[in-house]
Amino acid sequence: MPGHQPARSRRGAERKGDVRERAILDTCEALLAQKGYDAMTVGDIAAGAGITRGALYFYFGSKQEVVTALVARTVEHLWERSRVTAQADEPRQAIAAAMRRTVELWNEHGLVMRAAIDLSLTVPEIGALWSRTADLFITAIAAVLERAGIQAGTEPEQASAMAHALCWMIERTFYHASQESRENLQKASSTCEHIWLVSAGLTA
């Protein structure tokens, strides 16, 4: 049955490709910590992943593409961790769980998150990815606010406008606190959580 062998080979190649791609992204994240975005090269990434430069170009066309894929993988983890809890019925629990999972990801991948923020103004692909991710969180935050009794809408006192401000406040607060210490990141998270609760009228 000659028609079946290529399919098996393709599946095997895809699995091998997934492993190599993961190694490339893991290496890129490690190099962000060691050298920073500007100093690391495609050669550094390839060497760390145990492949040649030519092999790396089979997966990614440039260092910028590698970092964009790394950011995409990281924000996907952030969204998956927060999505279900943000949709929970009880707003207090949803807020606490969403902030806890956000802290976990910033502790694990803070360098990638900060690189995404730094590069979002100069790398269009990363900027678009970061904006789409923010839009998802703004929608989720607005849903929590609405469940807490805040009126839906885009006026300053309404859920969508408040969620927009809360999302970008959290992003900037975590960006700075994550560079200081895990303790400061946790404190910053607690402050952001308190502000979210106050905004939702849930502190009484």
Side-chain angles (χ1 to χ4, degrees):
M1 292 185 292
H4 292 289
Q5 184 59 40
R8 285 198 298 269
S9 297
R10 281 196 299 274
R11 286 195 296 271
E14 286 165 2
R15 286 194 296 272
K16 185 176 181 181
D18 289 344
V19 171
R20 281 192 171 177
E21 184 171 324
R22 186 165 59 251
I24 291 167
L25 298 183
D26 289 346
T27 298
C28 180
E29 183 163 8
L31 287 168
L32 280 175
Q34 295 168 14
K35 294 189 170 188
Y37 176 78
D38 290 333
M40 72 177 177
T41 66
V42 168
D44 293 332
I45 299 170
I51 59 176
T52 65
R53 284 171 60 102
L56 185 144
Y57 284 124
F58 179 78
Y59 298 96
F60 300 101
S62 65
K63 176 178 76 172
Q64 182 174 301
E65 283 190 14
V66 178
V67 175
T68 301
L70 176 60
V71 171
R73 182 178 75 171
T74 305
V75 297
E76 182 180 352
H77 290 330
L78 174 59
W79 176 242
E80 284 303 313
R81 289 186 187 194
S82 302
R83 176 176 55 85
V84 176
T85 54
Q87 295 169 350
D89 291 333
E90 207 288 302
R92 288 176 187 273
Q93 293 178 359
I95 291 169
M99 295 304 299
R100 184 170 61 251
R101 283 162 174 75
T102 303
V103 168
E104 289 171 358
L105 196 81
W106 275 83
N107 276 330
E108 294 168 14
H109 303 289
L111 281 166
V112 179
M113 307 288 274
R114 291 197 299 274
I117 294 168
D118 291 340
L119 296 170
S120 62
L121 296 177
T122 56
V123 180
E125 294 83 1
I126 292 178
L129 176 62
W130 199 246
S131 292
R132 286 196 302 271
T133 303
D135 287 343
L136 289 172
F137 280 96
I138 289 167
T139 300
I141 293 169
V144 174
L145 291 172
E146 288 171 26
R147 287 203 304 278
I150 304 299
Q151 183 181 356
T154 58
E155 292 301 313
E157 74 283 0
Q158 294 175 339
S160 291
M162 292 170 66
H164 188 277
L166 284 167
C167 178
W168 292 111
M169 175 201 72
I170 292 167
E171 183 232 52
R172 187 54 44 175
T173 302
F174 274 53
Y175 176 91
H176 288 292
S178 68
Q179 298 178 73
E180 297 167 353
S181 67
R182 290 193 171 209
E183 181 183 4
N184 284 351
L185 183 64
Q186 185 58 59
K187 288 180 180 177
S189 174
S190 296
T191 300
C192 289
E193 182 176 339
H194 176 70
I195 293 170
W196 190 352
L197 288 167
V198 170
S199 301
L202 296 172
T203 55

